[in-house]
Amino acid sequence: MLKSNINNGLDEQAAKILLKTHGENKLQDKKKVSIVKQFFGQFSDFCVIILFIACIISFVTSILDGSRDFIEPAVILLIVVLNAVIGVFQERRAERALEALKKLSAPSANVKRNGKIKKIPASGLVPGDVIYLESGDMVPADARLISSNGLKVSESALTGESEACEKDANSVSAADCPPADRKNMIFSSTNVLAGNCTAIVTQTGMETQVGKIAHLLASEKSPQTPLQLRLEKIGKTLAVGALIICAAVFLLGVIRRSGILSSFMLSVSLAVAAIPEGLPAIVTIVLSMGVQIMAKNNAIIRHLPAVETLGAATVICSDKTGTLTQNKMTVTKVCSASGELSMNSSEACKILLYGSICNNSHVIKRGKKPIFGGDPTETAILSAAFDCGENVFSLDSDYPRLHETPFSSEKKYMSTLNTVGNKKLLIVKGAPEVILPRCSKAEMHGSDSALTKFLSSKISEQNSRMAAQGLRVIAVAFRAASDPSDYDEKDLTFAGLIGMTDPPRPEAAKAVATCKKAGIIPVMITGDHIDTACAIAGQLGILESGLTAMTGAELDSLSDSELCDKIKKCRVFARVSPEHKVRIVKAFRSCGEIVAMTGDGVNDAPALKAADIGCAMGKSGTDVAKNAADMILTDDNFATIVKAVALGRGIFDNIKKAVHFLLGTNIGEILAVFAASVLGFAPPLIPIQLLWVNLVTDSLPAMALGTEKAEKDIMTRRPISPSKGFFSDGLWIDISLEGMLIGTVTVLSFLIGSKMFGTENVLLGRTMAFCTISFCEIAHAVNMRSSLPLFKAGFFSNRAMTASVIICSLVQASAVIFPPLADVFGVTSLSAVQWLIVICLSVIPLVIGEAGKILFTRKA
C-alpha cells in the first residue's frame, strides 16, 4: 500500500516526491506573531503610552495657540518609533538565534534508501521509509514494525503511562483498537528503552498520533531565564523609583511656573529614557549571541538558563570512554584461563571470533580494506578478528542469529544464539565479574576444564592486572544450546578475556588542570573496572594522593549521609549503573555543589535531569539522553565542557557589564535632571534630547558589550556562587557612584555653558550638557569592557565596541553640527573651546574608571 520495498527501502526520487506530497515530518509550530503585531507591541509600555498622549496634547496645544510648532512632538514620536524598530530587531534576532539552535539539536533517523542505510534529519522521513531503531532512540514517526528484538518502548509522552510497552512485529491488532494496544506499531515522539527493530513509516508530521494533539503543545511559551526574571523585578523597582523622581521633577516645574505641559513632557520623557525596561531583552540578546558562539565550539545549549548555571558549576562528572579518552579502541591483549595468548594463535582467534559473532557492529568492504561502524568496543573486536584472518564480512550469513538479548547497563552483558556449523551456540560477552559467576567450565588449549575456585581466582587476578594497565577488559563465554528457545545465560564455558586500550584524549589532561585552577572538581564516572578507571584517572590528574575511588557495589552499601561524607574526597566511580549516577548527583548537590553530569544512554536521562547541567553526547548519545540534557557536546569531548564553562562565565560577565552600563547611565540621566530641578536651575536637557540620548547610547554599546571576549583570568576565578546576588561585591555602590558622576558632569557642563560665556545662555548650556551626557555614556561603555585597564585589555580588541563608539559619536555630533538637525534638537553650534570642554568633561568617568582599575584591581 505504501509502494515501498522492505529490503531496499524507497529510492531517493520517490522519497522527494512523497516529501512534497506529505510535507516535512515535523509538528506545526505555534503561529508566529506577525512583525506588525510585534511592532505595535513595543508601544504597550505605560510610560510610552503616556508620552504619546503628551505629544498629542503638545500637538493640539500648538495648533490652539497658533504657534504651529509641530517639530518637537513629531520628532519625539519619530524617536519612539525608532526605539520600537530597534526593539523588534532585537526580538527577531533572538528568535532567529533560538531557531538556529533548534535546528542544530534536531533529531535524526537511520533510514534505508536505495538499499543503503544512511542517517538523515527526521524531518525528511516520508511514509514508506524503512527505519532502524535501537535502545535510546526517539521514534521519529508513526511506523509499523517489520522485525523486532526484545523491543520495549516508553509511550508516556503519548499515553501518560510510565510503564514500558513491549512491542512485537509478529503481533496483529484489530483495525479499531486504540493506539496504546497496537503492539505492532511504534509512535512518533516515544522512546525505545530496550531492544532494536526495523519498521516502515506509515504517518509523518501532523498525521501522526502526537500530531493530532499538537495544538496542545503549540500553546507552550518559552520560559524566561532566572536572570531575566531577577532583572525584570529589579527593573520594576527602579521604574517605581524613577517615576517618583519624575513626579517630583513635574511638581517642581509646576511650582516654578515652567509650564504644566512642558514640565509634564519633561518628566514623562525622563521616565521613558531612564526606566530600564529593556533589561530582559538585553539579557536575551547577550545570551543568544553567546549561545551561538558556544555552538561553534561544539556545545549546543538546549535551554538558555544552562548558560547561567554553567558559570556556577563546581563539579563536572564525566564519563571516561569517549569523553576523557579517544574512544579509539584497539585490542592489545587476549587471555584464556591458562594465561596470555599470542594474538595470532588459534585460541585467541576463536575468542575474537566469538566476540565478533556476539556483536552488533557492522563492516563494509571497500576494496580489500574493511570499514567498521558501530560501538568502538565492538568494532575493536571485529577489527582484531579480521587481523586474525577471520572473514568478518559474512558473519551474519555464516553464523545466522536466532536470538539476541541486547546489552544493558544493568546487566552489563549481551548474548546471542547463533547457528555455528551443525549446532546452536549461545555466546555471551560482557564485564568479567558478571560473566565469570555464570560459568561452570573454562576452555584451555582446546579442551574444557571445571572452573574451580583456584582457576576462577586466577582469571580474576588476570582481569585486575589488565585493568591496572588501563585496559578495558571484556569477557567471552559460550555454551551449546538445545533449541532456539534455550538462551539462559547459565552454566557457561569461559572462553577468555579481551583487553583493549583506549588512550586519553591529548587535550583532556590540560582541561582537567584548567578545572582545578577554576575551582571545579573533575570526577570520572565509568562502567569499567576500578583498576582501569584509576589508571586513566591517574594519567589525567583526576586521581591524586589523598583522593579516593569507589565502586558501584561500595556505593550501594552506603547510606545517603555516609555517601555525602565520603563523596567530598572521591574522584573516581567505577562499575556504576545509571541509577548510581543519580545518587552521585544528589550527594554532590546535597553538599552544596553545582553539578554538570555527562551521559549518553537511555538510562542516563534521570541523572541528566537531576544534575544542574545535563550534558549529552552528540556522537554516541541516544535521543533520549539528548532530550533530557541542557547541553549537547557534538564532539563528545571533556575539554568542550570546560570550554563551555569558560564561555558561560564570559557570557555572565558580559550580561553583568551590559546591565552595569545601562543602569549607571540611566541613573546619570535621572540625577542630572532631578539635581537641576532641586537646585532651581532650568532643565539641562529637554524631552527630545533625553529620548535621543536614550536611543543613541542604550542600544549599540550595550549589545557591543555582549560580544566582549572572556577575560584572561576567567578560569582562575572561583565559580560564581548561586547564593550570591547579581549586585553583590559592591556592584550597586559602583553603579550609584558612576550614575552620580555622569549626572554631576552633565550638570557641570550645563552650568559652564550657560554661565561662563558672557551673558546667561541656557541654549548653549543645554547644548553642552546634551553632548556631554551622550559622549560620557559612550566613554562609560568603553570603561565597562573589562576589569583590566584598557592598555591590557586592548584598545581595539572588541570590533563591535569600536564600531558602536564611532557610529554613536558621529550620530551625536551630527545632531549639533548640522543646522537642520540642530534646530530639531534645540541646540546651537559650539566653538572649538566649548567642544574641548565637552570632550574633557565626557572622559572624566573613563579616566577615573581606568585609574581605579590600575590602583585597585588584581594584577592580570
Side-chain angles (χ1 to χ4, degrees):
M1 188 178 82
L2 294 166
K3 295 176 183 175
S4 184
N5 184 295
I6 288 172
N7 296 320
N8 296 319
L10 293 169
D11 65 67
E12 290 291 355
Q13 199 57 41
K16 282 181 184 177
I17 295 167
L18 286 166
L19 189 62
K20 284 183 181 178
T21 306
H22 294 276
E24 286 193 322
N25 175 37
K26 60 182 183 181
L27 302 179
Q28 285 176 3
D29 292 324
K30 61 181 176 182
K31 195 176 179 183
K32 283 187 180 180
V33 177
S34 69
I35 196 164
V36 175
K37 196 172 181 181
Q38 206 169 12
F39 174 74
F40 283 108
Q42 304 294 317
F43 304 108
S44 60
D45 182 74
F46 175 73
C47 288
V48 173
I49 293 168
I50 295 294
L51 186 61
F52 262 114
I53 293 168
C55 283
I56 292 165
I57 292 169
S58 175
F59 191 79
V60 171
T61 306
S62 65
I63 291 174
L64 294 175
D65 65 15
S67 66
R68 303 279 172 180
D69 184 12
F70 309 134
I71 293 175
E72 186 174 354
V75 174
I76 287 174
L77 285 174
L78 181 62
I79 291 170
V80 172
V81 169
L82 277 173
N83 258 323
V85 170
I86 290 170
V88 171
F89 168 75
Q90 288 178 336
E91 286 179 18
R92 289 270 159 171
R93 183 175 178 178
E95 283 171 14
R96 282 198 301 272
L98 294 174
E99 281 171 11
L101 289 177
K102 280 183 185 177
K103 286 178 184 175
L104 282 172
S105 57
S108 56
N110 288 314
V111 61
K112 184 173 268 191
R113 297 256 178 98
N114 293 336
K116 292 179 182 176
I117 298 171
K118 59 191 290 190
K119 185 170 271 194
I120 67 167
S123 59
L125 288 177
V126 294
D129 264 328
V130 175
I131 56 173
Y132 295 85
L133 299 167
E134 57 187 13
S135 177
D137 287 344
M138 187 179 77
V139 180
D142 288 3
R144 171 67 161 86
L145 294 173
I146 297 168
S147 65
S148 60
N149 183 29
L151 188 64
K152 289 185 179 179
V153 178
S154 168
E155 294 186 341
S156 56
L158 192 63
T159 64
E161 293 293 329
S162 56
E163 266 190 52
C165 303
E166 291 189 5
K167 298 287 184 175
D168 184 4
N170 297 319
S171 171
V172 178
S173 306
D176 58 349
C177 78
D181 294 334
R182 296 175 195 169
K183 301 298 179 190
N184 55 8
M185 290 286 295
I186 49 176
F187 299 104
S188 177
S189 300
T190 61
N191 297 309
V192 179
L193 298 180
N196 49 57
C197 70
T198 305
I200 186 163
V201 174
T202 54
Q203 282 92 22
T204 59
M206 296 303 288
E207 296 301 313
T208 61
Q209 292 297 320
V210 76
K212 293 172 184 175
I213 55 168
H215 64 281
L216 300 175
L217 304 175
S219 61
E220 290 180 10
K221 284 187 178 180
S222 299
Q224 285 186 298
T225 74
L227 182 58
Q228 283 174 312
L229 292 169
R230 216 185 321 168
L231 289 176
E232 197 172 303
K233 284 181 183 176
I234 291 164
K236 284 176 181 175
T237 306
L238 290 173
V240 171
L243 286 172
I244 291 168
I245 290 173
C246 292
V249 168
F250 172 68
L251 289 171
L252 285 168
V254 171
I255 292 166
R256 294 202 175 96
R257 297 182 180 179
S258 300
I260 292 175
L261 184 61
S262 59
S263 298
F264 183 67
M265 287 282 283
L266 177 64
S267 59
V268 173
S269 298
L270 181 60
V272 172
I275 291 171
E277 72 285 339
L279 282 184
I282 285 293
V283 173
T284 305
I285 296 295
V286 177
L287 279 175
S288 61
M289 285 193 294
V291 163
Q292 291 284 23
I293 294 166
M294 282 184 159
K296 289 174 185 173
N297 284 276
N298 301 315
I300 297 170
I301 300 295
R302 295 186 69 247
H303 306 123
L304 279 183
V307 179
E308 299 165 32
T309 317
L310 270 170
T314 58
V315 175
I316 299 176
C317 295
S318 173
D319 284 325
K320 178 183 75 69
T321 306
T323 309
L324 288 163
T325 61
Q326 296 179 33
N327 210 11
K328 291 178 181 176
M329 299 284 187
T330 306
V331 174
T332 57
K333 193 173 284 191
V334 179
C335 299
S336 70
S338 60
E340 188 174 343
L341 303 169
S342 166
M343 287 292 289
N344 292 317
S345 67
S346 59
E347 277 188 85
C349 288
K350 183 178 179 181
I351 293 165
L352 291 168
L353 174 63
Y354 283 0
S356 300
I357 294 169
C358 180
N359 195 311
N360 279 330
S361 288
H362 55 272
V363 59
I364 301 167
K365 196 169 187 178
R366 189 166 291 172
K368 291 183 180 180
K369 289 185 178 181
I371 304 296
F372 299 104
D375 178 78
T377 302
E378 296 200 322
T379 58
I381 295 171
L382 268 179
S383 178
F386 174 78
D387 292 340
C388 271
E390 296 293 345
N391 182 7
V392 295
F393 301 107
S394 58
L395 290 173
D396 289 342
S397 56
D398 291 346
Y399 310 103
R401 187 175 294 186
L402 307 173
H403 175 80
E404 177 191 340
T405 300
F407 175 85
S408 76
S409 51
E410 290 83 15
K411 295 197 297 284
K412 293 186 171 65
Y413 69 83
M414 74 171 285
S415 68
T416 60
L417 182 62
N418 298 77
T419 302
V420 179
N422 297 322
K423 58 183 179 181
K424 293 176 180 62
L425 203 66
L426 179 71
I427 304 171
V428 187
K429 174 175 104 283
E433 65 269 29
V434 176
I435 301 296
L436 208 52
R438 295 174 178 271
C439 297
S440 57
K441 290 177 278 188
E443 188 175 64
M444 292 188 291
H445 309 300
S447 60
D448 293 351
S449 301
L451 188 65
T452 61
K453 282 187 179 179
F454 172 76
L455 195 54
S456 180
S457 174
K458 185 182 174 185
I459 294 167
S460 295
E461 286 172 12
Q462 179 67 49
N463 174 40
S464 296
R465 282 195 299 274
M466 292 168 74
Q469 293 165 12
L471 299 180
R472 166 171 275 194
V473 187
I474 301 293
V476 179
F478 65 94
R479 72 168 173 83
S482 55
D483 58 66
S485 62
D486 179 17
Y487 43 79
D488 282 344
E489 294 91 356
K490 293 175 184 176
D491 196 26
L492 302 170
T493 298
F494 177 79
L497 301 172
I498 302 172
M500 54 196 80
T501 181
D502 181 18
R505 286 179 179 266
E507 65 275 22
K510 186 180 176 183
V512 167
T514 303
C515 272
K516 291 176 182 176
K517 281 183 190 173
I520 301 167
I521 300 167
V523 176
M524 178 191 284
I525 297 180
T526 179
D528 270 355
H529 193 281
I530 191 164
D531 292 340
T532 307
C534 289
I536 299 292
Q539 291 174 41
L540 293 172
I542 292 173
L543 190 63
E544 297 173 319
S545 59
L547 301 174
T548 61
M550 188 186 296
T551 64
E554 290 170 330
L555 197 148
D556 284 332
S557 67
L558 299 174
S559 67
D560 287 344
S561 59
E562 288 172 330
L563 178 59
C564 193
D565 287 336
K566 291 199 172 187
I567 206 165
K568 292 170 187 174
K569 288 198 170 182
C570 192
R571 296 293 178 270
V572 175
F573 294 91
R575 286 296 190 227
V576 297
S577 67
E579 290 74 21
H580 290 139
K581 280 189 172 185
V582 176
R583 276 199 77 194
I584 292 165
V585 168
K586 287 182 177 176
F588 272 121
R589 292 193 73 195
S590 67
C591 297
E593 306 290 357
I594 304 298
V595 185
M597 168 68 81
T598 68
D600 56 6
V602 60
N603 293 324
D604 287 333
L608 293 174
K609 283 188 176 178
D612 297 282
I613 310 141
C615 309
M617 302 296 112
K619 287 182 179 176
S620 62
T622 59
D623 291 339
V624 176
K626 290 174 187 175
N627 288 336
D630 302 294
M631 180 169 78
I632 298 170
L633 308 176
T634 58
D635 59 354
D636 294 9
N637 194 339
F638 177 80
T640 300
I641 308 173
V642 180
K643 200 185 290 181
V645 169
L647 288 167
R649 289 185 179 189
I651 291 165
F652 188 83
D653 258 15
N654 288 348
I655 290 170
K656 213 166 185 177
K657 289 169 188 174
V659 171
H660 188 162
F661 163 71
L662 287 171
L663 294 183
T665 53
N666 285 8
I667 288 171
E669 291 166 17
I670 291 171
L671 292 180
V673 176
F674 182 64
S677 298
V678 170
L679 295 170
F681 304 136
L685 298 162
I686 57 176
I688 195 170
Q689 292 169 351
L690 276 168
L691 293 169
W692 177 255
V693 169
N694 188 54
L695 177 72
V696 170
T697 62
D698 270 15
S699 51
L700 285 180
M703 283 194 280
L705 283 170
T707 66
E708 195 68 41
K709 288 179 182 176
E711 297 189 19
K712 290 176 183 177
D713 69 342
I714 198 88
M715 288 302 276
T716 58
R717 304 178 198 168
R718 300 293 301 173
I720 304 158
S721 173
S723 59
K724 257 190 179 183
F726 187 78
F727 296 96
S728 59
D729 298 328
L731 185 61
W732 260 129
I733 296 169
D734 289 347
I735 290 170
S736 302
L737 288 174
E738 287 156 6
M740 288 167 68
L741 184 59
I742 291 168
T744 302
V745 166
T746 303
V747 173
L748 182 60
S749 183
F750 172 72
L751 291 175
I752 290 171
S754 58
K755 307 284 187 184
M756 293 183 66
F757 291 95
T759 57
E760 185 167 330
N761 190 339
V762 174
L763 180 63
L764 179 60
R766 279 182 181 153
T767 304
M768 289 182 68
F770 178 44
C771 291
T772 300
I773 196 166
S774 289
F775 291 130
C776 199
E777 291 186 7
I778 293 166
H780 186 51
V782 174
N783 191 35
M784 287 294 98
R785 281 187 51 209
S786 175
S787 60
L788 297 174
L790 276 175
F791 68 86
K792 286 188 177 180
F795 286 95
F796 306 107
S797 57
N798 185 339
R799 290 180 181 178
M801 180 58 77
T802 304
S804 73
V805 167
I806 293 168
I807 292 166
C808 292
S809 299
L810 289 173
V811 168
Q812 175 58 33
S814 66
V816 177
I817 293 169
F818 294 113
L821 288 175
D823 290 342
V824 168
F825 289 104
V827 293
T828 186
S829 59
L830 299 178
S831 67
V833 173
Q834 290 159 354
W835 272 116
L836 185 62
I837 293 168
V838 165
I839 292 166
C840 289
L841 290 172
S842 298
V843 298
I844 285 174
L846 179 61
V847 171
I848 291 173
E850 288 298 296
K853 289 175 191 178
I854 293 167
L855 291 171
F856 302 114
T857 59
R858 58 189 178 279
K859 289 183 180 180

